[in-house]
């Protein structure tokens, strides 16, 4: 399940504190999501980090030893949005606000086919964010993050909106959030297809 919260900017808020505010909100949404879906088990979970910084849950076994939990999650934030996903399989999520794309950055992460697709696009800013969030979500899914060679994994989509990845072991999901945010998610195919509900939990959080 994917949880998204819109965090409105406070005019009195200092810009250097914005990242901290979004980070705190992402963890608050995570706590809400785990409690919503797993109830009392949420209290038995502890967060740890992998080699490249990807967070994961551990819990105690009968001998009080820490073991990796079967509850996977991932977090992302951008602009006014924070996103959290829970899954029973490894998963990566990224949400980004559409902004003017930088050709130098695009050239670093897109392979030749993706670059040509972007140059042919009539909405380059939006399509670059589509590529960027897919690459970021993939890197977070694998746990390598920005250490991923983004040119080695290729994405493309057809006119019907279907998205394809060169790594055939994953499912890819992408959704436009409001009018200027793109959310992408990568997860193992064994996790099945995502179900969309658009159900509001409260005035700030909804699932999709």
């Amino acid at each position: 399940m994917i949880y998204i919260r819109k965090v409105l900017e406070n005019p009195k808020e200092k810009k250097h504190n914005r990242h901290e505010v979004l980070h705190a909100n992402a963890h608050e949404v995570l706590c809400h999501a785990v409690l919503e879906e797993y109830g009392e088990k949420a209290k038995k979970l502890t967060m740890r980090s992998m080699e490249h910084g990807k967070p994961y849950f551990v819990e105690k076994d009968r001998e009080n030893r820490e073991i990796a939990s079967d509850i996977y999650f991932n977090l992302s934030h951008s602009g006014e949005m924070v996103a959290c996903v829970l899954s029973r399989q490894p998963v990566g999520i990224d949400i980004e606000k559409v902004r003017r794309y930088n050709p130098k950055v695009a050239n670093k992460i897109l392979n030749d086919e993706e670059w040509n697709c972007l140059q042919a696009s009539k909405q380059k800013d939006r399509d670059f964010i589509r590529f960027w969030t897919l690459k970021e979500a993939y890197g977070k899914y694998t746990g390598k993050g920005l250490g991923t060679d983004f040119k080695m994994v290729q994405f493309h989509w057809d006119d019907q909106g279907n998205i394809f990845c060169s790594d055939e072991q994953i499912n890819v999901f992408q959704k436009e959030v409001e009018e200027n945010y793109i959310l992408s998610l990568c997860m193992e195919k064994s996790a099945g297809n995502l179900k969309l509900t658009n159900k509001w939990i409260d005035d700030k959080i909804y699932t999709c």
Side-chain angles (χ1 to χ4, degrees):
M1 192 71 75
I2 301 170
Y3 294 78
I4 303 174
R5 170 179 286 179
K6 186 172 185 178
V7 184
L8 298 178
E9 292 191 32
N10 186 335
K12 298 181 180 180
E13 185 178 84
K14 295 181 179 180
K15 290 184 178 180
H16 66 271
N17 289 334
R18 186 60 182 170
H19 178 83
E20 295 179 7
V21 170
L22 292 172
H23 185 74
N25 269 270
H27 281 268
E28 186 177 319
V29 172
L30 173 62
C31 291
H32 171 96
V34 176
L35 187 61
E36 177 82 8
E37 295 192 31
Y38 298 100
E40 288 299 311
K41 185 173 181 178
K43 299 178 182 179
K44 301 178 182 179
L45 301 174
T46 302
M47 192 182 297
R48 296 283 185 261
S49 294
M50 296 180 182
E51 179 183 356
H52 296 283
K54 181 178 180 178
Y56 67 100
F57 284 136
V58 297
E59 50 189 290
K60 297 290 183 68
D61 64 12
R62 294 181 179 179
E63 297 180 2
N64 207 38
R65 296 175 301 186
E66 282 192 353
I67 58 173
S69 173
D70 61 351
I71 300 174
Y72 295 84
F73 72 95
N74 205 227
L75 306 172
S76 180
H77 59 74
S78 174
E80 296 182 329
M81 296 291 184
V82 299
C84 166
V85 59
L86 292 181
S87 173
R88 288 293 190 179
Q89 302 289 340
V91 64
I93 193 171
D94 191 55
I95 189 168
E96 294 287 342
K97 186 174 184 179
V98 176
R99 56 189 180 276
R100 181 169 295 180
Y101 95 101
N102 184 327
K104 291 183 179 179
V105 175
N107 189 52
K108 288 182 179 180
I109 70 167
L110 302 181
N111 62 34
D112 291 342
E113 290 188 31
E114 293 168 332
W115 173 263
N116 291 336
C117 177
L118 181 63
Q119 297 313 303
S121 172
K122 296 181 180 180
Q123 46 183 7
K124 291 183 175 61
D125 295 339
R126 184 177 185 278
D127 283 347
F128 172 69
I129 294 299
R130 292 192 68 184
F131 277 124
W132 175 262
T133 54
L134 288 167
K135 303 268 185 173
E136 278 272 329
Y138 184 81
K140 295 167 79 173
Y141 154 75
T142 63
K144 295 181 180 180
L146 294 176
T148 304
D149 184 351
F150 288 129
K151 289 191 176 184
M152 294 301 293
V153 57
Q154 180 174 319
F155 295 92
H156 69 278
W157 49 83
D158 59 23
D159 294 337
Q160 286 70 48
N162 300 306
I163 304 174
F164 306 92
C165 178
S166 57
D167 184 345
E168 298 181 353
Q169 302 303 311
I170 67 167
N171 274 329
V172 181
F173 167 76
Q174 192 170 74
K175 179 180 177 66
E176 183 172 346
V177 180
E178 295 196 338
E179 295 182 358
N180 57 343
Y181 289 85
I182 302 294
L183 179 147
S184 293
L185 184 144
C186 293
M187 64 196 309
E188 289 185 0
K189 281 190 174 179
S190 57
N193 295 322
L194 293 172
K195 303 298 183 181
L196 310 184
T197 64
N198 290 322
K199 174 185 175 184
W200 284 88
I201 294 178
D202 58 30
D203 61 340
K204 293 184 179 179
I205 304 176
Y206 66 91
T207 65
C208 62

